[in-house]
Amino acid sequence: VNFNPKLHYVSEWWKQLYGESEGKENKGIFPASVDFSTDLHSMGQWIQEGERTIYETVISVEKTQYSLQVPSDEANELGTQLAHVDGGVPNMRIVIPALNEESIGGLLYFFEIACGISGYILGVNPFNQPGVEAYKKNMFALLNKPGYEEESKAIQARL
């Protein structure tokens, strides 16, 4: 979860990191991300009262480059997080000091280390991607890419 639109693509990167690193052998978390306040009513409702299969991580920025006065913004972020905690959602908050290269780099590094450790705890290799390789091999076979002649014959026989 983030409350800053500039973190949208960090969230997209995070989904790829965890999906590709842990999503194998019928294991791994289902990585999803939401941009509040855009997704607050739709996904916020689900997070607060839906199925308990998630752990919410909120990324907050302590000091932004520009300031836009919205009287209830900070209260909305805290109010949302408190409502989710009160709803029984496991929750943590990560605060980065600013939206700059050092803070974003540190955040990415934190998630990379956490993902590697998490993958090993789950008993999967977080540094391979057998599912990705499988669909790439099928795609190359369907496109008759040179070097995939045998796979092409095998996949055509299945169709």
Side-chain angles (χ1 to χ4, degrees):
V1 174
N2 72 73
F3 284 84
N4 189 310
K6 290 184 177 182
L7 291 172
H8 173 79
Y9 289 105
V10 170
S11 297
E12 293 298 308
W13 168 85
W14 181 88
K15 287 192 297 192
Q16 179 184 357
L17 174 68
Y18 273 84
E20 199 170 317
S21 299
E22 289 190 350
K24 50 193 87 157
E25 300 176 24
N26 295 313
K27 299 177 183 176
I29 64 169
F30 175 74
S33 63
V34 290
D35 298 322
F36 288 164
S37 66
T38 304
D39 300 319
L40 185 55
H41 288 277
S42 58
M43 295 307 295
Q45 173 64 42
W46 187 90
I47 291 167
Q48 185 169 333
E49 294 187 355
E51 184 179 10
R52 287 293 167 259
T53 56
I54 64 162
Y55 187 98
E56 183 178 39
T57 303
V58 178
I59 301 172
S60 298
V61 180
E62 192 169 40
K63 184 178 179 187
T64 58
Q65 186 176 3
Y66 301 101
S67 179
L68 173 63
Q69 295 299 320
V70 179
S72 62
D73 188 52
E74 188 173 321
N76 280 342
E77 184 173 338
L78 181 58
T80 300
Q81 193 170 5
L82 287 172
H84 290 179
V85 169
D86 290 345
V89 179
N91 191 298
M92 76 173 183
R93 181 176 179 224
I94 298 172
V95 179
I96 59 174
L99 281 174
N100 59 29
E101 296 86 351
E102 183 178 3
S103 295
I104 297 296
L107 183 66
L108 298 182
Y109 188 62
F110 166 79
F111 281 127
E112 287 174 341
I113 289 174
C115 186
I117 292 169
S118 178
Y120 285 133
I121 288 170
L122 286 171
V124 299
N125 179 353
F127 300 105
N128 69 2
Q129 53 182 25
V132 172
E133 295 304 321
Y135 75 69
K136 284 170 52 177
K137 184 177 96 176
N138 288 343
M139 179 185 63
F140 292 153
L142 288 167
L143 293 172
N144 296 312
K145 183 176 178 180
Y148 287 83
E149 291 80 7
E150 291 303 314
E151 290 88 347
S152 184
K153 288 178 191 172
I155 206 165
Q156 290 300 327
R158 290 177 54 197
L159 301 176

PDB file of all heavy atoms in Angstrom, residues 7 13 24 31 37 44 50 56 65 86-87 103 108 118 121 127 129 131 135-136 145 156-157:
ATOM      1  N   LEU A   7       4.999   6.391  -5.993  1.00  0.00           N
ATOM      2  CA  LEU A   7       5.435   5.052  -5.600  1.00  0.00           C
ATOM      3  C   LEU A   7       4.711   3.950  -6.370  1.00  0.00           C
ATOM      4  O   LEU A   7       4.939   2.770  -6.133  1.00  0.00           O
ATOM      5  CB  LEU A   7       5.253   4.860  -4.095  1.00  0.00           C
ATOM      6  CG  LEU A   7       6.181   5.683  -3.222  1.00  0.00           C
ATOM      7  CD1 LEU A   7       5.793   5.562  -1.754  1.00  0.00           C
ATOM      8  CD2 LEU A   7       7.626   5.278  -3.430  1.00  0.00           C
ATOM      9  N   TRP A  13       7.025  -3.020  -9.360  1.00  0.00           N
ATOM     10  CA  TRP A  13       8.291  -3.760  -9.285  1.00  0.00           C
ATOM     11  C   TRP A  13       8.221  -4.790  -8.163  1.00  0.00           C
ATOM     12  O   TRP A  13       8.650  -5.929  -8.317  1.00  0.00           O
ATOM     13  CB  TRP A  13       9.453  -2.773  -9.049  1.00  0.00           C
ATOM     14  CG  TRP A  13      10.721  -3.456  -8.683  1.00  0.00           C
ATOM     15  CD1 TRP A  13      11.656  -3.987  -9.525  1.00  0.00           C
ATOM     16  CD2 TRP A  13      11.219  -3.694  -7.354  1.00  0.00           C
ATOM     17  NE1 TRP A  13      12.692  -4.537  -8.816  1.00  0.00           N
ATOM     18  CE2 TRP A  13      12.445  -4.368  -7.474  1.00  0.00           C
ATOM     19  CE3 TRP A  13      10.745  -3.400  -6.086  1.00  0.00           C
ATOM     20  CZ2 TRP A  13      13.193  -4.759  -6.362  1.00  0.00           C
ATOM     21  CZ3 TRP A  13      11.488  -3.779  -4.984  1.00  0.00           C
ATOM     22  CH2 TRP A  13      12.704  -4.446  -5.135  1.00  0.00           C
ATOM     23  N   LYS A  24       6.360 -20.407  -6.837  1.00  0.00           N
ATOM     24  CA  LYS A  24       6.738 -21.680  -7.459  1.00  0.00           C
ATOM     25  C   LYS A  24       6.510 -22.809  -6.470  1.00  0.00           C
ATOM     26  O   LYS A  24       6.442 -22.571  -5.263  1.00  0.00           O
ATOM     27  CB  LYS A  24       8.182 -21.659  -7.958  1.00  0.00           C
ATOM     28  CG  LYS A  24       9.191 -21.179  -6.947  1.00  0.00           C
ATOM     29  CD  LYS A  24      10.552 -20.862  -7.550  1.00  0.00           C
ATOM     30  CE  LYS A  24      10.574 -19.448  -8.029  1.00  0.00           C
ATOM     31  NZ  LYS A  24      11.862 -18.843  -8.136  1.00  0.00           N
ATOM     32  N   PRO A  31       1.390 -11.578  -4.484  1.00  0.00           N
ATOM     33  CA  PRO A  31       1.738 -10.163  -4.363  1.00  0.00           C
ATOM     34  C   PRO A  31       0.722  -9.268  -5.060  1.00  0.00           C
ATOM     35  O   PRO A  31       0.379  -9.480  -6.217  1.00  0.00           O
ATOM     36  CB  PRO A  31       3.109 -10.084  -5.046  1.00  0.00           C
ATOM     37  CG  PRO A  31       3.097 -11.198  -6.043  1.00  0.00           C
ATOM     38  CD  PRO A  31       2.213 -12.270  -5.472  1.00  0.00           C
ATOM     39  N   SER A  37      -5.112   7.104  -2.399  1.00  0.00           N
ATOM     40  CA  SER A  37      -6.515   6.886  -2.137  1.00  0.00           C
ATOM     41  C   SER A  37      -7.280   6.348  -3.343  1.00  0.00           C
ATOM     42  O   SER A  37      -8.458   6.033  -3.213  1.00  0.00           O
ATOM     43  CB  SER A  37      -7.154   8.179  -1.640  1.00  0.00           C
ATOM     44  OG  SER A  37      -7.142   9.159  -2.649  1.00  0.00           O
ATOM     45  N   GLY A  44      -9.512  -1.193  -0.263  1.00  0.00           N
ATOM     46  CA  GLY A  44      -9.475  -0.922   1.173  1.00  0.00           C
ATOM     47  C   GLY A  44     -10.556  -1.689   1.912  1.00  0.00           C
ATOM     48  O   GLY A  44     -10.337  -2.222   3.002  1.00  0.00           O
ATOM     49  N   GLY A  50     -12.178  -8.443   4.139  1.00  0.00           N
ATOM     50  CA  GLY A  50     -12.182  -9.616   3.269  1.00  0.00           C
ATOM     51  C   GLY A  50     -11.410 -10.784   3.862  1.00  0.00           C
ATOM     52  O   GLY A  50     -11.088 -10.819   5.047  1.00  0.00           O
ATOM     53  N   GLU A  56      -0.410  -6.719   5.169  1.00  0.00           N
ATOM     54  CA  GLU A  56      -0.367  -5.388   4.563  1.00  0.00           C
ATOM     55  C   GLU A  56       0.923  -4.669   4.951  1.00  0.00           C
ATOM     56  O   GLU A  56       1.275  -4.606   6.125  1.00  0.00           O
ATOM     57  CB  GLU A  56      -1.577  -4.581   5.025  1.00  0.00           C
ATOM     58  CG  GLU A  56      -1.660  -3.208   4.405  1.00  0.00           C
ATOM     59  CD  GLU A  56      -2.894  -2.446   4.848  1.00  0.00           C
ATOM     60  OE1 GLU A  56      -3.282  -2.533   6.027  1.00  0.00           O
ATOM     61  OE2 GLU A  56      -3.476  -1.765   3.989  1.00  0.00           O
ATOM     62  N   GLN A  65       8.952  16.334  -1.725  1.00  0.00           N
ATOM     63  CA  GLN A  65       9.619  17.478  -2.340  1.00  0.00           C
ATOM     64  C   GLN A  65       8.706  18.692  -2.413  1.00  0.00           C
ATOM     65  O   GLN A  65       9.125  19.820  -2.217  1.00  0.00           O
ATOM     66  CB  GLN A  65      10.102  17.097  -3.744  1.00  0.00           C
ATOM     67  CG  GLN A  65      10.932  18.174  -4.408  1.00  0.00           C
ATOM     68  CD  GLN A  65      11.460  17.706  -5.758  1.00  0.00           C
ATOM     69  OE1 GLN A  65      11.166  16.624  -6.213  1.00  0.00           O
ATOM     70  NE2 GLN A  65      12.233  18.553  -6.397  1.00  0.00           N
ATOM     71  N   ASP A  86      -7.524  -2.716  13.262  1.00  0.00           N
ATOM     72  CA  ASP A  86      -8.707  -3.062  14.047  1.00  0.00           C
ATOM     73  C   ASP A  86      -9.501  -4.181  13.380  1.00  0.00           C
ATOM     74  O   ASP A  86     -10.174  -4.958  14.055  1.00  0.00           O
ATOM     75  CB  ASP A  86      -9.615  -1.842  14.246  1.00  0.00           C
ATOM     76  CG  ASP A  86      -9.003  -0.803  15.176  1.00  0.00           C
ATOM     77  OD1 ASP A  86      -8.018  -1.127  15.886  1.00  0.00           O
ATOM     78  OD2 ASP A  86      -9.499   0.345  15.178  1.00  0.00           O
ATOM     79  N   GLY A  87      -9.410  -4.275  12.057  1.00  0.00           N
ATOM     80  CA  GLY A  87     -10.088  -5.341  11.324  1.00  0.00           C
ATOM     81  C   GLY A  87      -9.326  -6.653  11.339  1.00  0.00           C
ATOM     82  O   GLY A  87      -9.727  -7.616  10.712  1.00  0.00           O
ATOM     83  N   SER A 103      16.822   6.948  -0.730  1.00  0.00           N
ATOM     84  CA  SER A 103      15.708   6.314  -0.024  1.00  0.00           C
ATOM     85  C   SER A 103      15.063   5.206  -0.851  1.00  0.00           C
ATOM     86  O   SER A 103      14.776   4.123  -0.332  1.00  0.00           O
ATOM     87  CB  SER A 103      14.653   7.352   0.337  1.00  0.00           C
ATOM     88  OG  SER A 103      15.168   8.278   1.264  1.00  0.00           O
ATOM     89  N   LEU A 108      14.355  -0.595  -2.150  1.00  0.00           N
ATOM     90  CA  LEU A 108      14.465  -1.723  -3.081  1.00  0.00           C
ATOM     91  C   LEU A 108      15.412  -2.782  -2.528  1.00  0.00           C
ATOM     92  O   LEU A 108      15.131  -3.988  -2.596  1.00  0.00           O
ATOM     93  CB  LEU A 108      14.943  -1.243  -4.448  1.00  0.00           C
ATOM     94  CG  LEU A 108      14.040  -0.251  -5.191  1.00  0.00           C
ATOM     95  CD1 LEU A 108      14.633   0.085  -6.550  1.00  0.00           C
ATOM     96  CD2 LEU A 108      12.629  -0.755  -5.331  1.00  0.00           C
ATOM     97  N   SER A 118      12.930 -14.794   2.526  1.00  0.00           N
ATOM     98  CA  SER A 118      11.600 -15.383   2.543  1.00  0.00           C
ATOM     99  C   SER A 118      11.519 -16.607   1.627  1.00  0.00           C
ATOM    100  O   SER A 118      10.940 -17.628   1.992  1.00  0.00           O
ATOM    101  CB  SER A 118      10.575 -14.330   2.117  1.00  0.00           C
ATOM    102  OG  SER A 118       9.283 -14.859   2.081  1.00  0.00           O
ATOM    103  N   ILE A 121      13.242 -19.489   3.290  1.00  0.00           N
ATOM    104  CA  ILE A 121      12.415 -19.995   4.391  1.00  0.00           C
ATOM    105  C   ILE A 121      11.294 -20.872   3.847  1.00  0.00           C
ATOM    106  O   ILE A 121      10.951 -21.905   4.424  1.00  0.00           O
ATOM    107  CB  ILE A 121      11.849 -18.840   5.243  1.00  0.00           C
ATOM    108  CG1 ILE A 121      12.977 -18.199   6.069  1.00  0.00           C
ATOM    109  CG2 ILE A 121      10.731 -19.322   6.164  1.00  0.00           C
ATOM    110  CD1 ILE A 121      12.591 -16.906   6.777  1.00  0.00           C
ATOM    111  N   PHE A 127      15.919 -17.301  -6.818  1.00  0.00           N
ATOM    112  CA  PHE A 127      16.714 -16.727  -7.899  1.00  0.00           C
ATOM    113  C   PHE A 127      16.554 -17.453  -9.226  1.00  0.00           C
ATOM    114  O   PHE A 127      17.362 -17.280 -10.132  1.00  0.00           O
ATOM    115  CB  PHE A 127      18.189 -16.671  -7.483  1.00  0.00           C
ATOM    116  CG  PHE A 127      18.389 -15.838  -6.249  1.00  0.00           C
ATOM    117  CD1 PHE A 127      18.631 -16.443  -5.026  1.00  0.00           C
ATOM    118  CD2 PHE A 127      18.303 -14.462  -6.306  1.00  0.00           C
ATOM    119  CE1 PHE A 127      18.793 -15.668  -3.883  1.00  0.00           C
ATOM    120  CE2 PHE A 127      18.469 -13.680  -5.182  1.00  0.00           C
ATOM    121  CZ  PHE A 127      18.710 -14.295  -3.959  1.00  0.00           C
ATOM    122  N   GLN A 129      13.425 -18.905 -12.270  1.00  0.00           N
ATOM    123  CA  GLN A 129      12.072 -18.606 -12.748  1.00  0.00           C
ATOM    124  C   GLN A 129      11.591 -19.705 -13.682  1.00  0.00           C
ATOM    125  O   GLN A 129      11.376 -19.458 -14.866  1.00  0.00           O
ATOM    126  CB  GLN A 129      12.056 -17.253 -13.442  1.00  0.00           C
ATOM    127  CG  GLN A 129      13.095 -17.102 -14.531  1.00  0.00           C
ATOM    128  CD  GLN A 129      13.083 -15.730 -15.166  1.00  0.00           C
ATOM    129  OE1 GLN A 129      12.670 -14.760 -14.574  1.00  0.00           O
ATOM    130  NE2 GLN A 129      13.535 -15.663 -16.412  1.00  0.00           N
ATOM    131  N   GLY A 131       8.725 -21.138 -14.135  1.00  0.00           N
ATOM    132  CA  GLY A 131       7.443 -20.865 -14.800  1.00  0.00           C
ATOM    133  C   GLY A 131       7.602 -19.936 -15.979  1.00  0.00           C
ATOM    134  O   GLY A 131       7.011 -20.135 -17.042  1.00  0.00           O
ATOM    135  N   TYR A 135       6.844 -20.890 -20.112  1.00  0.00           N
ATOM    136  CA  TYR A 135       5.977 -20.240 -21.104  1.00  0.00           C
ATOM    137  C   TYR A 135       6.792 -19.624 -22.228  1.00  0.00           C
ATOM    138  O   TYR A 135       6.321 -19.538 -23.362  1.00  0.00           O
ATOM    139  CB  TYR A 135       4.968 -19.284 -20.482  1.00  0.00           C
ATOM    140  CG  TYR A 135       5.452 -17.951 -19.978  1.00  0.00           C
ATOM    141  CD1 TYR A 135       5.891 -16.952 -20.829  1.00  0.00           C
ATOM    142  CD2 TYR A 135       5.408 -17.657 -18.623  1.00  0.00           C
ATOM    143  CE1 TYR A 135       6.298 -15.717 -20.361  1.00  0.00           C
ATOM    144  CE2 TYR A 135       5.813 -16.418 -18.140  1.00  0.00           C
ATOM    145  CZ  TYR A 135       6.257 -15.451 -19.021  1.00  0.00           C
ATOM    146  OH  TYR A 135       6.663 -14.239 -18.556  1.00  0.00           O
ATOM    147  N   LYS A 136       8.048 -19.212 -21.958  1.00  0.00           N
ATOM    148  CA  LYS A 136       8.895 -18.715 -23.048  1.00  0.00           C
ATOM    149  C   LYS A 136       9.227 -19.846 -24.022  1.00  0.00           C
ATOM    150  O   LYS A 136       9.187 -19.655 -25.242  1.00  0.00           O
ATOM    151  CB  LYS A 136      10.174 -18.100 -22.473  1.00  0.00           C
ATOM    152  CG  LYS A 136       9.943 -16.722 -21.870  1.00  0.00           C
ATOM    153  CD  LYS A 136      11.099 -16.173 -21.075  1.00  0.00           C
ATOM    154  CE  LYS A 136      12.425 -16.162 -21.742  1.00  0.00           C
ATOM    155  NZ  LYS A 136      13.488 -15.551 -20.913  1.00  0.00           N
ATOM    156  N   LYS A 145      10.508 -20.813 -33.671  1.00  0.00           N
ATOM    157  CA  LYS A 145      11.813 -20.169 -33.558  1.00  0.00           C
ATOM    158  C   LYS A 145      12.908 -21.207 -33.822  1.00  0.00           C
ATOM    159  O   LYS A 145      12.837 -22.330 -33.325  1.00  0.00           O
ATOM    160  CB  LYS A 145      11.982 -19.565 -32.158  1.00  0.00           C
ATOM    161  CG  LYS A 145      13.279 -18.820 -31.993  1.00  0.00           C
ATOM    162  CD  LYS A 145      13.370 -18.142 -30.635  1.00  0.00           C
ATOM    163  CE  LYS A 145      14.715 -17.444 -30.506  1.00  0.00           C
ATOM    164  NZ  LYS A 145      14.845 -16.774 -29.219  1.00  0.00           N
ATOM    165  N   GLN A 156       2.736 -28.834 -31.193  1.00  0.00           N
ATOM    166  CA  GLN A 156       1.727 -28.925 -32.249  1.00  0.00           C
ATOM    167  C   GLN A 156       0.941 -30.226 -32.112  1.00  0.00           C
ATOM    168  O   GLN A 156      -0.265 -30.238 -32.386  1.00  0.00           O
ATOM    169  CB  GLN A 156       2.386 -28.822 -33.629  1.00  0.00           C
ATOM    170  CG  GLN A 156       2.950 -27.438 -33.969  1.00  0.00           C
ATOM    171  CD  GLN A 156       1.882 -26.359 -33.962  1.00  0.00           C
ATOM    172  OE1 GLN A 156       0.730 -26.587 -34.299  1.00  0.00           O
ATOM    173  NE2 GLN A 156       2.287 -25.158 -33.557  1.00  0.00           N
ATOM    174  N   ALA A 157       1.599 -31.294 -31.689  1.00  0.00           N
ATOM    175  CA  ALA A 157       0.918 -32.563 -31.498  1.00  0.00           C
ATOM    176  C   ALA A 157      -0.116 -32.480 -30.364  1.00  0.00           C
ATOM    177  O   ALA A 157      -1.140 -33.155 -30.398  1.00  0.00           O
ATOM    178  CB  ALA A 157       1.931 -33.674 -31.188  1.00  0.00           C
TER     179      ALA A 157
END
